[in-house]
Amino acid sequence: VSDTPVKEKTETLSLDDLKASDVQFKFIELVGLSRAEIEDLSENNNSSKEKSGYLFSIKTSSGKVYKFSANDHQEKSDWIRDLDETINSLLENRQSRSLDIHLIDELTRRSSEASKPTLQGYLLLHKDKYDNKAFRDPKSGALSQTTRDSWKAKYFELQGYYLFYWKSIEVKDRGFKPKTIQTGKCSVSIVPVMDRDYCFQIATNQRIYYLSAGSNTERLLWINSIRRTIDKYLDEVDKMKMFQQNSTVIELSPLKELKLENENKCAECSKTDPGFVSVKFGVFVCRKCAVAHRRFGTVKSTKSVEDWSPDEIEKLKEMGNQRAYEKFKSNIPTYMYQLDEKDTGGTRLSWVRAKYSSELDRDETHFESRVQPPNDTNNDKKDVQKETLKKGTLLKLTRKSTWRSYKCTLKSGELLYSKSSSSNRTVGSINLVLCTSIDPSSIELRAEKYYTFELISPVRKFVFSSTSKGEALAWVQQINTFCNN
């Protein structure tokens, strides 16, 4: 990163010498790429390319400009392409989080009618809608049978949230209706392998448009301008979402107050603004966690006014997220990680089942007592589950892919393990009820001395081994008495 004139830097430092040396580098600054823009500076300094080097710059959302110098043209092109891909990925992630509001279409139409073009000029447009003819062969680099006649010059204007194009500027001046691309919902990125130079693509739901500019500077100018309109579009979407939330009162005021009292977060994954409540456990949950909670009890939306009774609201006041956590936290196994917004539905289901297991087991026991008469066999079975069923030493594969010996104990539906036979302190436990049963035929011999089997839980895979196949089989048979089939 250069904060001084590039000329001074390139005269005193050689990239080749730095790469070959053992010089130590120090972290200086982090350059944020969200809403960043790339500019090719070499094409603006053609007269002094030997002195200025292969230059490009990154302009951040705050307006700060960072200048970079590559070793050669190919290295500069690779950096620009990779940076462009990252910026496009960040923008697509933001697009995926924005809701599609119908009113925004009317907003884009009015904006296009009232605004002036922000960028205009000729670009080459590939006439084929599909990309199967336009690319080079990735191995040989040879062009396909597509001829240069596949590219036609069109006159483009970027206006509001639309990109308009005509056959020529004369056709536009005669008042002919243009073809349109709605830029607010598209993505734009560099395409480096087309049969023409300086290509980029605009991807919409209906079609991918392949375009070619006259230079790399012109290509980046179009890409940056289109991305600015996308960011502006998403800003308008966020404003309209905020306006709708503030102007439409559809939640019960007691629920709204309770959500704020519970930090307006999901009780399971901490996602903000949860829209559902688990009536059974009295906690606020997000949409994805609500799917898991529905397996065990009633889930209601905070926006369905007519569905709530005073008793249900009172129950929610008595419990809430924090009281529920204090009540049920002891049920969470030590090997389970805290649930996150990005976790899958299966992981959420396992988390809910484990966290509220004491309540679920009580309900199940109450149900069984009503439909099944008590007998000595069931009582004996419960007593056996409380006893230690098996003890022994097993090798466990650690996260660093090394084997370590542990003292293992199978007790009360859990597999407990400690670091040595002399230590009674448990360093880990596995809730076998949540695990998948092990196929005895899957026991395999590794390194000609370890008989290995795998135990799969909702959060990770555990690998154990024994020096005896019979001992490994005995462990598998005992573990399977608790696992899900």
Side-chain angles (χ1 to χ4, degrees):
V1 177
S2 172
D3 289 329
T4 59
V6 177
K7 182 177 179 181
E8 178 184 337
K9 284 289 184 181
T10 54
E11 286 180 350
T12 57
L13 296 176
S14 167
L15 293 178
D16 289 331
D17 293 340
L18 283 175
K19 290 179 180 178
S21 70
D22 58 352
V23 64
Q24 297 295 315
F25 292 92
K26 181 178 72 173
F27 173 80
I28 299 175
E29 191 172 352
L30 184 68
V31 182
L33 294 180
S34 179
R35 300 195 184 207
E37 297 181 2
I38 309 170
E39 183 180 356
D40 190 341
L41 301 179
S42 299
E43 294 182 355
N44 300 330
N45 297 277
N46 291 328
S47 60
S48 58
K49 183 170 289 187
E50 292 183 359
K51 295 182 179 180
S52 63
Y54 297 92
L55 308 178
F56 64 95
S57 68
I58 299 176
K59 183 179 180 181
T60 65
S61 58
S62 63
K64 190 172 183 179
V65 178
Y66 298 86
K67 294 181 180 180
F68 299 89
S69 175
N71 209 32
D72 51 44
H73 177 74
Q74 184 60 46
E75 187 176 50
K76 182 192 74 172
S77 299
D78 291 342
W79 271 105
I80 289 178
R81 185 180 67 250
D82 293 342
L83 287 166
D84 177 81
E85 182 179 347
T86 302
I87 295 170
N88 182 55
S89 177
L90 291 170
L91 187 55
E92 286 182 340
N93 288 339
R94 188 186 174 201
Q95 286 176 309
S96 65
R97 294 193 299 268
S98 296
L99 296 177
D100 185 11
I101 301 176
H102 299 296
L103 294 177
I104 203 68
D105 293 326
E106 179 65 18
L107 177 65
T108 55
R109 184 185 66 80
R110 293 178 183 177
S111 174
S112 299
E113 292 175 353
S115 61
K116 295 180 179 180
T118 55
L119 187 61
Q120 53 195 353
Y122 279 93
L123 292 170
L124 294 177
L125 174 65
H126 196 272
K127 69 178 184 179
D128 197 342
K129 294 183 180 180
Y130 307 100
D131 61 347
N132 58 339
K133 297 180 181 179
F135 291 95
R136 295 176 184 267
D137 184 272
K139 293 183 179 179
S140 66
L143 296 178
S144 63
Q145 297 179 354
T146 304
T147 65
R148 289 186 175 259
D149 293 337
S150 299
W151 296 90
K152 298 295 182 182
K154 305 289 183 183
Y155 179 75
F156 286 82
E157 281 190 0
L158 182 61
Q159 183 178 348
Y161 301 120
Y162 284 97
L163 182 63
F164 301 100
Y165 65 96
W166 298 260
K167 286 186 177 181
S168 64
I169 191 172
E170 292 79 16
V171 173
K172 183 240 179 185
D173 291 340
R174 280 185 278 175
F176 283 90
K177 186 177 180 181
K179 293 185 178 180
T180 61
I181 305 172
Q182 186 176 352
T183 57
K185 298 180 181 179
C186 76
S187 66
V188 56
S189 59
I190 290 176
V191 182
V193 288
M194 302 286 285
D195 56 350
R196 274 196 179 262
D197 295 327
Y198 315 122
C199 294
F200 63 99
Q201 70 174 23
I202 300 176
T204 67
N205 293 335
Q206 292 78 27
R207 174 181 171 181
I208 299 178
Y209 298 83
Y210 298 100
L211 302 152
S212 176
S215 65
N216 195 35
T217 299
E218 184 182 355
R219 170 172 65 175
L220 292 173
L221 178 62
W222 278 99
I223 290 175
N224 292 334
S225 299
I226 293 172
R227 282 180 180 160
R228 278 189 225 115
T229 66
I230 297 174
D231 280 318
K232 187 177 179 181
Y233 175 90
L234 297 176
D235 289 341
E236 293 293 337
V237 171
D238 292 338
K239 288 180 182 178
M240 294 194 69
K241 287 164 56 180
M242 187 73 67
F243 174 78
Q244 286 197 346
Q245 290 173 357
N246 293 337
S247 61
T248 307
V249 181
I250 53 179
E251 287 191 357
L252 282 172
S253 55
L255 292 179
K256 202 168 188 178
E257 293 174 2
L258 286 171
K259 280 176 68 174
L260 295 175
E261 291 176 7
N262 288 272
E263 299 182 346
N264 198 25
K265 290 183 178 181
C266 174
E268 314 306 342
C269 69
S270 298
K271 183 177 176 63
T272 57
D273 195 22
F276 298 87
V277 171
S278 172
V279 179
K280 182 179 182 64
F281 302 116
V283 293
F284 288 92
V285 292
C286 66
R287 179 178 59 82
K288 292 183 179 179
C289 291
V291 176
H293 271 272
R294 282 195 182 99
R295 298 284 296 271
F296 310 108
T298 303
V299 173
K300 290 189 175 183
S301 171
T302 58
K303 298 181 180 181
S304 302
V305 178
E306 67 279 357
D307 291 343
W308 282 87
S309 67
D311 292 340
E312 290 171 336
I313 295 176
E314 196 62 32
K315 181 179 179 181
L316 185 58
K317 288 181 179 180
E318 294 175 357
M319 183 58 71
N321 293 3
Q322 187 58 37
R323 293 190 186 94
Y325 175 76
E326 295 295 333
K327 179 180 179 180
F328 298 109
K329 66 179 181 180
S330 60
N331 296 332
I332 304 173
T334 55
Y335 62 84
M336 265 192 166
Y337 299 107
Q338 173 62 45
L339 204 63
D340 186 75
E341 293 182 31
K342 299 178 182 179
D343 283 323
T344 62
T347 304
R348 293 171 193 266
L349 181 61
S350 300
W351 171 270
V352 173
R353 183 189 288 122
K355 179 178 177 181
Y356 302 98
S357 57
S358 58
E359 187 77 11
L360 296 173
D361 292 344
R362 184 181 63 81
D363 292 347
E364 185 176 352
T365 304
H366 175 67
F367 174 76
E368 290 178 351
S369 66
R370 287 185 292 126
V371 298
Q372 295 181 357
N375 54 69
D376 296 336
T377 305
N378 289 338
N379 292 333
D380 293 343
K381 195 176 213 180
K382 291 178 182 178
D383 293 338
V384 169
Q385 290 182 352
K386 294 180 181 180
E387 296 176 355
T388 299
L389 298 181
K390 188 170 179 60
K391 282 185 178 182
T393 302
L394 289 173
L395 293 175
K396 176 178 170 292
L397 190 64
T398 66
R399 294 181 184 271
K400 296 182 180 180
S401 299
T402 58
W403 292 99
R404 184 164 187 171
S405 178
Y406 287 92
K407 182 183 75 173
C408 298
T409 303
L410 187 61
K411 182 179 181 180
S412 301
E414 285 189 307
L415 181 61
L416 312 175
Y417 52 93
S418 55
K419 288 185 178 180
S420 64
S421 57
S422 59
S423 174
N424 293 323
R425 188 173 69 87
T426 300
V427 297
S429 64
I430 306 172
N431 189 343
L432 300 178
V433 178
L434 303 177
C435 296
T436 305
S437 58
I438 307 170
D439 183 3
S441 63
S442 66
I443 299 175
E444 60 178 357
L445 180 64
R446 293 190 184 181
E448 298 183 356
K449 59 180 179 179
Y450 297 130
Y451 289 91
T452 304
F453 60 91
E454 296 179 350
L455 181 59
I456 300 176
S457 77
V459 292
R460 61 173 290 195
K461 178 175 69 174
F462 299 88
V463 182
F464 293 94
S465 66
S466 174
T467 55
S468 167
K469 185 175 182 180
E471 182 68 9
L473 184 60
W475 275 102
V476 168
Q477 290 174 344
Q478 290 288 354
I479 288 171
N480 280 347
T481 59
F482 299 99
C483 293
N484 294 322
N485 294 324

